[in-house]
Amino acid sequence: MIETIRRYEHGLPGAPVARPGKARAFFDELNERVKGNKRLPRWVGELYYEVHRGTYTSIAKNKRNNRKAEFLYTTAEWISSLNRALFDANYPAEELNSGWRKILLNQFHDVLPGSSIKQVYEDTDEIYRQIFATGKKILSEGLERIASAVNVGQRSLIVFNPNSFPGCGLVEFSYPFGEEAIQLQSADGRLFPCQKITGDNGRYVAYVTGVAPKGYTAFKLVTAEPAGDNLQLRVNKERLENSYFRIELDEHGHFTSIIDKRVGREVLKAGERGNVIQAFEDKPRREDNWNLDIYYSEKMWEVDDVESVEVLENGPVSGILRITRKFLSSSIVQDIIIYNDIPRIDFNTTVDWKEKDIVLKVSFPVDINATKATYEIQFGHIERSTHFNTSWDIAQFEVCGHKWADLSEDGYGVSLMNDCKYGYDIKDGHMRLTLLRSGTVPNPAADKEVHHFIYSLYPHIGDWREGGTVAQAYDLNNPLIGKVVERQGGNLPQTLSMISVDRENVVIEAIKKAEDEDATIIRVYEAYNRRTNATIRLYREIKQVTECDLMEKDLPEESRQLKCSGQEFAFTIRPLEIKTFKVVWAD
């Protein structure tokens, strides 16, 4: 490139004259040339890049590690901030920042996209090991310190809610006190059954409600009668049923019907099947791990070689049907999970992948009339067409998204969520998530390993806003955390919310210590494209709130200072806006 510039400098026939320079000088010069020009084009919306679609999926282990690391360190920052506020504990800024730098290093060009050579991923395996070891240590120590200070009168489960939504969801925990039937009891006397996790000695799962947002709530652990037959939830090899859905399966484990009992409608298109895992020949014209070419769909095989089907659990919390499939030299073990209290179908999947030049997708053909699908992106969402009307629509045969994508008509919709995937295609009512691909250039061993991931189908009443898709996706990716404690007389209350916001469309994404001063940073974003007046409430009195930018620099004087009253401050947030606040606690 440097040699090419030298040649272009001296006027190569047919080529532009080029010269080396710095980015700042380039943009300053460009600005001088074009400022005030009314004919400058203006583009609104996505600048979709019509190549490199394979990078949404290649090297799945790094995609998973990235997602898990982002949530781990965001949660560790919040817990460290809460410890600092409660106990004046040391904030591990150096360790957290070191971990974040490693996470960002692994997001660098070609690394996270999955288009690097094999040796790079040998390095990132070790780097992620360090990232997780440090992050889990910080989080574990912070949780332990808080849990040990909560005032409880008997053996209890302290449930931490890392999200800003009022806590309801699944919590897993270790109960090392013998094989007894247990349940959780809230402060107001409500009982929540616990279910032992099959094959995981001493681990239980429960569904709870009422956990304080960005805080914790204590539940008593009490003895329960052994659970009998669950009349609400039934799982066998042909049908899964709870109070929300009735799901029929064929001999290949595919869904032939999903009846939403709440509204009495079929979710799937007539005569089509859902949760069909599809394998496609994936031989792009060039740059295997970068590209997924449009003709990949011309050769498709259904993964329907079922080796076994077994009912794994049928308890008071969930029912699980395990299906084991074989595909060529690879195996796919999938636990299909339905819940007593959650209108969501989870697919907890383990794939031992040994193939090359194949892309693996899962398909749900849903009976929804919509010309646009919505995809989550960082701090917001974007809509894309569901048809092939124009060349631009055709080019978007594979698109990127984060935790969820949604297809909704007036009054009803379906969201497809995941815990570590980024490639989607939703066309003509077929919702598909790309699970794996295994090109050979520049890494001949790409993705030939064991993969773990979860995707979820979430039919909902109303569109994705009314249906609560954003909160469900956070619950899937960043679930409640449980810590068992013995009877103790600590000085912390049995429930505490460090920070909460009174609007569901305003999401508290980050809580951390300010980089350069003694203050706490709170970062929020608006998720629904809705102009909103919101109020944030903190667990203790605040002295001062200043709005700042993402670099934690104060905004101009006239707009930066917010009025605060006791433990609260109010603000207005524009559609899809990101806001950062710097909070100083009162003495």
Side-chain angles (χ1 to χ4, degrees), residues 202-279:
R203 294 284 292 175
Y204 286 78
V205 63
Y207 174 84
V208 295
T209 62
V211 185
K214 288 291 183 185
Y216 67 83
T217 297
F219 294 84
K220 296 177 183 177
L221 278 159
V222 297
T223 303
E225 293 296 325
D229 287 343
N230 189 339
L231 300 179
Q232 286 288 324
L233 190 150
R234 293 283 189 178
V235 172
N236 59 46
K237 296 180 180 181
E238 293 81 33
R239 175 181 289 184
L240 298 89
E241 186 168 4
N242 57 14
S243 59
Y244 304 105
F245 309 116
R246 184 171 66 250
I247 303 165
E248 305 286 346
L249 288 79
D250 64 15
E251 67 274 16
H252 302 298
H254 300 145
F255 289 9
T256 57
S257 173
I258 306 174
I259 300 295
D260 190 330
K261 295 158 72 172
R262 297 168 297 179
V263 291
R265 68 174 284 168
E266 173 63 62
V267 176
L268 298 178
K269 285 188 172 186
E272 301 205 38
R273 295 158 301 139
N275 195 41
V276 178
I277 298 176
Q278 301 171 333

Coordinates of all heavy atoms in Angstrom, one line a residue, residues 202-279:
G202 N -26.8 -31.2 43.1 CA -26.9 -30.1 44.0 C -27.3 -28.8 43.4 O -27.3 -27.7 44.0
R203 N -27.6 -28.8 42.1 CA -28.1 -27.5 41.4 C -29.6 -27.6 41.2 O -30.2 -28.6 40.9 CB -27.4 -27.4 40.0 CG -25.9 -27.2 40.1 CD -25.5 -25.8 40.5 NE -25.9 -24.8 39.5 CZ -25.7 -23.5 39.6 NH1 -25.3 -23.0 40.8 NH2 -26.1 -22.7 38.7
Y204 N -30.2 -26.4 41.5 CA -31.6 -26.2 41.4 C -31.9 -25.0 40.5 O -31.1 -24.1 40.3 CB -32.3 -26.0 42.8 CG -32.3 -27.3 43.6 CD1 -31.2 -27.8 44.3 CD2 -33.5 -28.0 43.8 CE1 -31.3 -28.9 45.1 CE2 -33.6 -29.1 44.5 CZ -32.5 -29.6 45.2 OH -32.5 -30.7 45.9
V205 N -33.2 -25.0 40.0 CA -33.7 -23.8 39.3 C -35.0 -23.5 39.8 O -35.8 -24.4 40.2 CB -33.7 -24.1 37.8 CG1 -34.7 -25.2 37.4 CG2 -34.0 -22.8 37.0
A206 N -35.3 -22.2 39.9 CA -36.6 -21.7 40.3 C -37.0 -20.5 39.5 O -36.2 -19.8 38.9 CB -36.6 -21.3 41.8
Y207 N -38.3 -20.3 39.4 CA -38.9 -19.1 38.8 C -39.4 -18.2 39.9 O -40.2 -18.6 40.7 CB -40.0 -19.4 37.8 CG -40.6 -18.2 37.2 CD1 -40.1 -17.5 36.1 CD2 -41.8 -17.6 37.8 CE1 -40.7 -16.4 35.6 CE2 -42.4 -16.5 37.3 CZ -41.8 -15.8 36.2 OH -42.4 -14.7 35.8
V208 N -38.8 -17.0 39.9 CA -39.2 -16.0 41.0 C -39.7 -14.7 40.3 O -39.4 -14.4 39.2 CB -38.1 -15.7 41.9 CG1 -37.7 -17.0 42.7 CG2 -36.8 -15.2 41.2
T209 N -40.4 -14.0 41.1 CA -40.8 -12.6 40.7 C -40.5 -11.6 41.8 O -40.2 -12.0 42.9 CB -42.4 -12.5 40.4 OG1 -43.1 -12.9 41.7 CG2 -42.8 -13.5 39.4
G210 N -40.5 -10.4 41.5 CA -40.4 -9.3 42.5 C -38.9 -9.1 42.9 O -38.7 -8.5 44.0
V211 N -37.9 -9.4 42.1 CA -36.6 -9.1 42.5 C -36.2 -7.7 42.1 O -36.5 -7.2 41.0 CB -35.6 -10.1 41.8 CG1 -34.2 -9.9 42.3 CG2 -36.0 -11.5 42.0
A212 N -35.7 -6.9 43.0 CA -35.4 -5.5 42.8 C -34.5 -5.3 41.6 O -33.5 -6.0 41.5 CB -34.7 -4.9 44.1
P213 N -34.8 -4.3 40.7 CA -34.0 -4.1 39.6 C -32.6 -3.5 40.0 O -32.5 -2.7 40.9 CB -34.8 -3.0 38.8 CG -35.7 -2.4 39.8 CD -36.0 -3.5 40.8
K214 N -31.6 -4.0 39.3 CA -30.2 -3.6 39.6 C -30.0 -3.7 41.1 O -29.4 -2.8 41.8 CB -29.9 -2.2 39.1 CG -29.8 -2.1 37.6 CD -28.5 -2.7 37.1 CE -28.4 -2.6 35.6 NZ -27.2 -3.3 35.1
G215 N -30.4 -4.8 41.7 CA -30.3 -5.0 43.1 C -30.5 -6.4 43.5 O -30.1 -7.3 42.7
Y216 N -31.0 -6.7 44.7 CA -31.2 -8.1 45.1 C -32.4 -8.1 46.0 O -33.0 -7.1 46.5 CB -30.0 -8.5 46.0 CG -29.8 -7.8 47.3 CD1 -30.5 -8.1 48.4 CD2 -29.0 -6.7 47.4 CE1 -30.4 -7.5 49.6 CE2 -28.9 -6.0 48.6 CZ -29.6 -6.4 49.7 OH -29.5 -5.7 50.9
T217 N -32.9 -9.4 46.2 CA -34.1 -9.7 47.0 C -33.8 -11.0 47.7 O -33.3 -12.0 47.0 CB -35.4 -9.7 46.3 OG1 -35.6 -8.4 45.8 CG2 -36.5 -10.1 47.2
A218 N -34.0 -11.1 49.0 CA -33.8 -12.4 49.7 C -35.1 -13.2 49.8 O -36.2 -12.7 50.0 CB -33.4 -12.1 51.1
F219 N -35.0 -14.5 49.5 CA -36.1 -15.5 49.6 C -35.7 -16.5 50.6 O -34.6 -17.1 50.6 CB -36.4 -16.1 48.3 CG -36.9 -15.2 47.2 CD1 -36.0 -14.5 46.5 CD2 -38.2 -15.0 47.0 CE1 -36.4 -13.6 45.5 CE2 -38.7 -14.2 46.0 CZ -37.7 -13.4 45.2
K220 N -36.6 -16.9 51.5 CA -36.4 -18.0 52.5 C -36.4 -19.3 51.7 O -37.2 -19.5 50.8 CB -37.5 -18.0 53.6 CG -37.5 -16.8 54.5 CD -38.7 -16.9 55.4 CE -38.8 -15.6 56.3 NZ -39.9 -15.7 57.2
L221 N -35.5 -20.2 52.1 CA -35.5 -21.6 51.6 C -36.2 -22.4 52.6 O -35.8 -22.6 53.8 CB -34.0 -22.0 51.5 CG -33.3 -21.6 50.2 CD1 -31.8 -21.7 50.3 CD2 -33.8 -22.4 49.0
V222 N -37.3 -23.0 52.2 CA -38.2 -23.8 53.0 C -38.4 -25.2 52.4 O -38.3 -25.4 51.2 CB -39.5 -23.1 53.3 CG1 -39.3 -21.8 54.0 CG2 -40.3 -22.9 52.0
T223 N -38.7 -26.1 53.3 CA -38.9 -27.5 52.8 C -40.3 -27.5 52.1 O -41.2 -26.9 52.5 CB -38.9 -28.5 54.0 OG1 -37.7 -28.4 54.7 CG2 -39.1 -29.9 53.6
A224 N -40.3 -28.4 51.1 CA -41.6 -28.5 50.3 C -42.0 -30.0 50.3 O -41.1 -30.9 50.5 CB -41.4 -28.0 48.9
E225 N -43.2 -30.2 50.0 CA -43.6 -31.6 49.8 C -43.1 -32.0 48.4 O -43.0 -31.2 47.5 CB -45.2 -31.7 49.8 CG -45.8 -31.4 51.1 CD -45.5 -32.4 52.2 OE1 -45.3 -33.6 51.8 OE2 -45.3 -32.1 53.3
P226 N -42.7 -33.3 48.3 CA -42.2 -33.8 47.0 C -43.3 -33.4 45.9 O -44.5 -33.6 46.1 CB -42.1 -35.3 47.2 CG -41.9 -35.4 48.7 CD -42.7 -34.4 49.3
A227 N -42.8 -32.9 44.8 CA -43.7 -32.5 43.7 C -44.4 -33.7 43.1 O -43.8 -34.7 42.8 CB -42.9 -31.8 42.7
G228 N -45.7 -33.6 42.9 CA -46.5 -34.6 42.2 C -46.5 -34.3 40.8 O -45.7 -33.6 40.2
D229 N -47.5 -34.9 40.1 CA -47.7 -34.7 38.7 C -48.0 -33.2 38.4 O -48.8 -32.6 39.2 CB -48.8 -35.6 38.1 CG -48.4 -37.0 38.0 OD1 -47.2 -37.2 38.0 OD2 -49.3 -37.9 37.9
N230 N -47.4 -32.7 37.4 CA -47.7 -31.3 37.0 C -48.8 -31.3 36.0 O -48.6 -31.7 34.9 CB -46.4 -30.6 36.5 CG -46.6 -29.1 36.3 OD1 -47.7 -28.6 36.2 ND2 -45.4 -28.5 36.2
L231 N -50.0 -30.8 36.4 CA -51.1 -30.8 35.5 C -51.1 -29.7 34.5 O -51.7 -29.8 33.4 CB -52.4 -30.7 36.4 CG -52.7 -31.8 37.4 CD1 -54.0 -31.5 38.1 CD2 -52.7 -33.2 36.7
Q232 N -50.3 -28.6 34.8 CA -50.2 -27.5 33.8 C -49.2 -27.8 32.7 O -49.4 -27.4 31.6 CB -49.8 -26.2 34.6 CG -50.9 -25.6 35.4 CD -52.0 -25.0 34.6 OE1 -51.7 -24.4 33.5 NE2 -53.2 -25.1 35.0
L233 N -48.2 -28.6 33.1 CA -47.1 -28.8 32.2 C -46.9 -30.2 31.9 O -46.7 -31.0 32.8 CB -45.8 -28.2 32.8 CG -44.6 -28.1 31.9 CD1 -43.7 -26.9 32.3 CD2 -43.7 -29.3 32.0
R234 N -46.9 -30.6 30.6 CA -46.8 -32.0 30.2 C -45.8 -32.1 29.0 O -45.9 -31.3 28.0 CB -48.2 -32.5 29.7 CG -49.2 -32.6 30.8 CD -49.0 -33.8 31.6 NE -50.1 -34.1 32.6 CZ -50.2 -35.1 33.4 NH1 -49.2 -36.0 33.4 NH2 -51.2 -35.2 34.2
V235 N -44.9 -33.0 29.1 CA -43.9 -33.2 28.1 C -43.9 -34.7 27.8 O -43.7 -35.5 28.7 CB -42.5 -32.7 28.5 CG1 -41.5 -33.1 27.4 CG2 -42.5 -31.2 28.7
N236 N -44.0 -35.1 26.5 CA -43.7 -36.4 26.0 C -43.1 -36.3 24.7 O -42.8 -35.2 24.2 CB -45.0 -37.3 26.1 CG -46.1 -36.8 25.2 OD1 -45.9 -36.4 24.1 ND2 -47.3 -36.8 25.7
K237 N -42.9 -37.5 24.0 CA -42.2 -37.5 22.7 C -42.9 -36.9 21.6 O -42.3 -36.6 20.5 CB -41.7 -38.9 22.4 CG -40.7 -39.4 23.4 CD -40.3 -40.9 23.1 CE -39.3 -41.4 24.1 NZ -38.8 -42.8 23.7
E238 N -44.2 -36.7 21.7 CA -45.1 -36.2 20.6 C -45.6 -34.8 20.9 O -46.0 -34.1 20.0 CB -46.2 -37.1 20.3 CG -45.9 -38.5 19.8 CD -45.4 -39.5 20.8 OE1 -46.0 -39.4 22.0 OE2 -44.5 -40.3 20.6
R239 N -45.6 -34.4 22.2 CA -46.3 -33.1 22.5 C -45.6 -32.5 23.7 O -45.2 -33.2 24.7 CB -47.8 -33.4 22.8 CG -48.5 -32.1 23.3 CD -49.9 -32.4 23.6 NE -50.7 -32.6 22.4 CZ -52.0 -32.8 22.4 NH1 -52.7 -32.8 23.5 NH2 -52.7 -33.0 21.2
L240 N -45.5 -31.1 23.7 CA -45.1 -30.3 24.8 C -46.3 -29.4 25.1 O -46.7 -28.7 24.1 CB -43.8 -29.6 24.6 CG -42.5 -30.4 24.3 CD1 -42.4 -30.6 22.8 CD2 -41.3 -29.6 24.8
E241 N -46.7 -29.2 26.4 CA -47.8 -28.4 26.6 C -47.7 -27.7 28.0 O -47.3 -28.4 29.0 CB -49.1 -29.2 26.5 CG -50.4 -28.3 26.7 CD -51.6 -29.1 26.3 OE1 -51.6 -30.3 26.0 OE2 -52.7 -28.4 26.3
N242 N -48.0 -26.4 28.0 CA -48.2 -25.7 29.3 C -49.4 -24.8 29.2 O -50.2 -25.0 28.3 CB -46.9 -25.0 29.6 CG -46.4 -24.0 28.6 OD1 -47.2 -23.6 27.6 ND2 -45.2 -23.5 28.6
S243 N -49.5 -23.8 30.1 CA -50.7 -23.0 30.0 C -50.6 -22.0 28.9 O -51.6 -21.4 28.6 CB -50.8 -22.2 31.4 OG -49.6 -21.4 31.6
Y244 N -49.5 -21.9 28.2 CA -49.3 -20.9 27.1 C -49.4 -21.6 25.7 O -50.1 -21.1 24.8 CB -48.0 -20.2 27.2 CG -47.7 -19.5 28.5 CD1 -46.8 -20.1 29.4 CD2 -48.3 -18.3 28.8 CE1 -46.6 -19.4 30.6 CE2 -48.1 -17.7 30.0 CZ -47.2 -18.2 30.9 OH -47.0 -17.6 32.1
F245 N -48.8 -22.8 25.6 CA -48.7 -23.4 24.2 C -49.0 -24.9 24.3 O -48.8 -25.5 25.3 CB -47.2 -23.2 23.7 CG -46.7 -21.8 23.8 CD1 -45.6 -21.5 24.6 CD2 -47.2 -20.8 23.0 CE1 -45.1 -20.3 24.6 CE2 -46.7 -19.5 23.1 CZ -45.7 -19.2 23.9
R246 N -49.4 -25.3 23.1 CA -49.5 -26.8 22.8 C -48.7 -27.0 21.6 O -49.0 -26.5 20.5 CB -51.0 -27.2 22.6 CG -51.1 -28.7 22.5 CD -52.5 -29.2 22.5 NE -53.3 -28.7 21.4 CZ -54.3 -27.8 21.5 NH1 -54.6 -27.3 22.6 NH2 -54.9 -27.4 20.4
I247 N -47.6 -27.8 21.7 CA -46.7 -28.0 20.6 C -46.7 -29.4 20.2 O -46.5 -30.3 21.0 CB -45.3 -27.6 21.1 CG1 -45.2 -26.2 21.6 CG2 -44.3 -27.8 19.9 CD1 -44.0 -25.8 22.3
E248 N -46.9 -29.7 18.9 CA -47.0 -31.0 18.3 C -45.7 -31.3 17.6 O -45.2 -30.4 16.9 CB -48.1 -31.2 17.4 CG -49.5 -30.9 18.0 CD -50.0 -32.0 19.0 OE1 -49.4 -33.1 19.0 OE2 -50.9 -31.7 19.8
L249 N -45.1 -32.5 17.7 CA -43.9 -32.9 17.1 C -44.1 -34.1 16.1 O -44.9 -34.9 16.4 CB -42.8 -33.2 18.1 CG -42.1 -32.1 18.9 CD1 -43.1 -31.7 20.0 CD2 -40.8 -32.5 19.4
D250 N -43.3 -34.1 15.0 CA -43.3 -35.3 14.2 C -42.2 -36.2 14.6 O -41.5 -36.0 15.6 CB -43.2 -34.9 12.7 CG -41.9 -34.2 12.3 OD1 -41.0 -34.3 13.1 OD2 -41.9 -33.6 11.2
E251 N -42.0 -37.3 13.8 CA -41.0 -38.3 14.2 C -39.6 -37.8 14.1 O -38.7 -38.5 14.6 CB -41.2 -39.6 13.3 CG -40.9 -39.3 11.8 CD -42.0 -38.8 11.0 OE1 -43.0 -38.3 11.6 OE2 -42.0 -38.9 9.7
H252 N -39.4 -36.7 13.4 CA -38.0 -36.1 13.3 C -37.8 -35.0 14.4 O -36.7 -34.4 14.4 CB -37.8 -35.5 11.9 CG -38.0 -36.5 10.8 ND1 -37.2 -37.6 10.7 CD2 -38.9 -36.5 9.8 CE1 -37.5 -38.3 9.6 NE2 -38.6 -37.6 9.0
G253 N -38.7 -34.8 15.3 CA -38.6 -33.8 16.3 C -38.9 -32.4 15.8 O -38.6 -31.5 16.6
H254 N -39.4 -32.3 14.6 CA -39.8 -31.0 14.1 C -41.2 -30.6 14.7 O -42.0 -31.4 14.9 CB -39.8 -31.0 12.6 CG -38.5 -31.3 12.0 ND1 -38.4 -32.0 10.8 CD2 -37.2 -31.1 12.4 CE1 -37.1 -32.2 10.5 NE2 -36.4 -31.7 11.4
F255 N -41.4 -29.3 14.8 CA -42.7 -28.8 15.3 C -43.7 -28.7 14.1 O -43.4 -28.0 13.1 CB -42.5 -27.4 15.9 CG -41.8 -27.3 17.2 CD1 -41.1 -28.4 17.7 CD2 -41.8 -26.1 17.9 CE1 -40.4 -28.3 18.9 CE2 -41.1 -26.0 19.1 CZ -40.4 -27.1 19.6
T256 N -44.7 -29.5 14.2 CA -45.8 -29.4 13.2 C -46.9 -28.4 13.6 O -47.7 -28.0 12.7 CB -46.4 -30.8 13.0 OG1 -46.9 -31.3 14.2 CG2 -45.4 -31.8 12.5
S257 N -46.9 -28.0 14.8 CA -47.9 -27.1 15.3 C -47.5 -26.4 16.6 O -46.9 -27.1 17.4 CB -49.3 -27.8 15.5 OG -50.2 -26.9 16.1
I258 N -47.7 -25.1 16.7 CA -47.6 -24.4 17.9 C -48.9 -23.6 18.1 O -49.1 -22.6 17.5 CB -46.4 -23.4 17.9 CG1 -45.1 -24.2 17.5 CG2 -46.2 -22.8 19.3 CD1 -43.9 -23.2 17.4
I259 N -49.7 -24.1 19.0 CA -51.0 -23.3 19.3 C -50.7 -22.4 20.5 O -50.3 -22.9 21.6 CB -52.1 -24.3 19.6 CG1 -52.4 -25.2 18.4 CG2 -53.4 -23.5 20.0 CD1 -52.9 -24.5 17.2
D260 N -50.9 -21.1 20.3 CA -50.9 -20.2 21.4 C -52.3 -20.2 22.1 O -53.2 -19.6 21.5 CB -50.5 -18.8 20.9 CG -50.2 -17.8 22.0 OD1 -50.8 -18.0 23.1 OD2 -49.4 -16.9 21.8
K261 N -52.3 -20.8 23.2 CA -53.6 -21.0 23.9 C -54.2 -19.7 24.5 O -55.4 -19.6 24.7 CB -53.4 -22.0 25.1 CG -53.1 -23.4 24.5 CD -52.4 -24.3 25.6 CE -53.4 -24.7 26.6 NZ -52.7 -25.8 27.5
R262 N -53.3 -18.7 24.6 CA -53.8 -17.4 25.2 C -54.7 -16.7 24.2 O -55.6 -15.9 24.6 CB -52.6 -16.5 25.5 CG -51.7 -17.0 26.5 CD -50.4 -16.2 26.6 NE -49.6 -16.3 25.3 CZ -48.5 -15.7 25.1 NH1 -48.0 -14.9 26.0 NH2 -47.8 -15.8 23.9
V263 N -54.5 -16.9 22.9 CA -55.3 -16.2 21.9 C -55.9 -17.2 20.9 O -56.7 -16.8 20.0 CB -54.5 -15.2 21.1 CG1 -54.1 -14.0 22.0 CG2 -53.2 -15.8 20.5
G264 N -55.7 -18.5 21.1 CA -56.3 -19.5 20.2 C -55.9 -19.4 18.8 O -56.7 -19.5 17.9
R265 N -54.6 -19.3 18.5 CA -54.1 -19.2 17.1 C -52.9 -20.1 16.9 O -52.1 -20.4 17.8 CB -53.8 -17.8 16.7 CG -52.6 -17.1 17.4 CD -52.3 -15.8 16.8 NE -51.7 -15.8 15.5 CZ -51.5 -14.8 14.7 NH1 -52.0 -13.6 15.0 NH2 -50.9 -14.9 13.6
E266 N -52.8 -20.5 15.7 CA -51.6 -21.3 15.2 C -50.5 -20.3 14.9 O -50.6 -19.3 14.2 CB -52.0 -22.1 14.0 CG -50.8 -22.9 13.4 CD -50.1 -23.9 14.3 OE1 -50.8 -24.9 14.7 OE2 -49.0 -23.7 14.6
V267 N -49.3 -20.6 15.5 CA -48.1 -19.7 15.2 C -47.5 -20.0 13.9 O -47.0 -19.1 13.2 CB -47.1 -19.9 16.4 CG1 -45.9 -19.1 16.1 CG2 -47.7 -19.5 17.7
L268 N -47.4 -21.3 13.5 CA -46.7 -21.7 12.3 C -47.6 -21.6 11.1 O -48.8 -21.7 11.2 CB -46.2 -23.2 12.4 CG -45.2 -23.5 13.5 CD1 -44.9 -24.9 13.5 CD2 -44.0 -22.6 13.4
K269 N -47.0 -21.4 9.9 CA -47.7 -21.4 8.6 C -48.3 -22.8 8.4 O -47.8 -23.8 8.8 CB -46.8 -21.1 7.5 CG -46.4 -19.6 7.4 CD -45.6 -19.4 6.1 CE -45.4 -17.9 5.9 NZ -44.8 -17.6 4.6
A270 N -49.5 -22.8 7.8 CA -50.2 -24.1 7.5 C -49.3 -25.0 6.7 O -48.8 -24.6 5.7 CB -51.5 -23.8 6.8
G271 N -49.2 -26.2 7.1 CA -48.5 -27.3 6.4 C -47.0 -27.2 6.5 O -46.3 -28.0 5.9
E272 N -46.5 -26.3 7.3 CA -45.0 -26.2 7.4 C -44.6 -26.5 8.8 O -45.4 -26.6 9.8 CB -44.6 -24.7 7.0 CG -45.0 -24.4 5.6 CD -44.1 -23.3 5.0 OE1 -42.9 -23.3 5.3 OE2 -44.6 -22.4 4.3
R273 N -43.3 -26.7 9.0 CA -42.7 -27.2 10.3 C -41.7 -26.2 10.8 O -41.0 -25.6 10.1 CB -42.1 -28.6 10.1 CG -43.0 -29.7 9.7 CD -42.3 -30.8 9.0 NE -41.6 -30.3 7.8 CZ -40.4 -30.7 7.4 NH1 -39.7 -31.6 8.2 NH2 -39.8 -30.2 6.3
G274 N -41.7 -26.1 12.2 CA -40.8 -25.2 12.9 C -39.7 -26.0 13.6 O -39.7 -27.2 13.7
N275 N -38.6 -25.3 14.0 CA -37.4 -25.8 14.5 C -36.8 -26.9 13.6 O -36.3 -27.9 14.1 CB -37.7 -26.4 15.9 CG -36.4 -26.6 16.7 OD1 -35.4 -25.8 16.6 ND2 -36.3 -27.7 17.4
V276 N -36.8 -26.6 12.4 CA -36.1 -27.4 11.4 C -34.7 -26.9 11.2 O -34.4 -25.8 10.8 CB -36.8 -27.4 10.0 CG1 -36.1 -28.3 9.0 CG2 -38.3 -27.9 10.2
I277 N -33.7 -27.8 11.6 CA -32.3 -27.4 11.4 C -31.9 -27.8 10.0 O -32.1 -28.9 9.5 CB -31.4 -28.2 12.4 CG1 -31.8 -27.7 13.9 CG2 -30.0 -27.9 12.2 CD1 -31.1 -28.5 14.9
Q278 N -31.4 -26.8 9.3 CA -31.1 -26.9 7.8 C -29.6 -26.8 7.6 O -29.0 -25.9 8.1 CB -31.9 -25.9 7.0 CG -33.4 -26.0 7.2 CD -34.1 -24.8 6.6 OE1 -33.5 -23.7 6.5 NE2 -35.3 -25.0 6.2
A279 N -29.1 -27.7 6.7 CA -27.7 -27.6 6.3 C -27.6 -27.2 4.9 O -28.3 -27.8 4.0 CB -27.0 -28.9 6.6

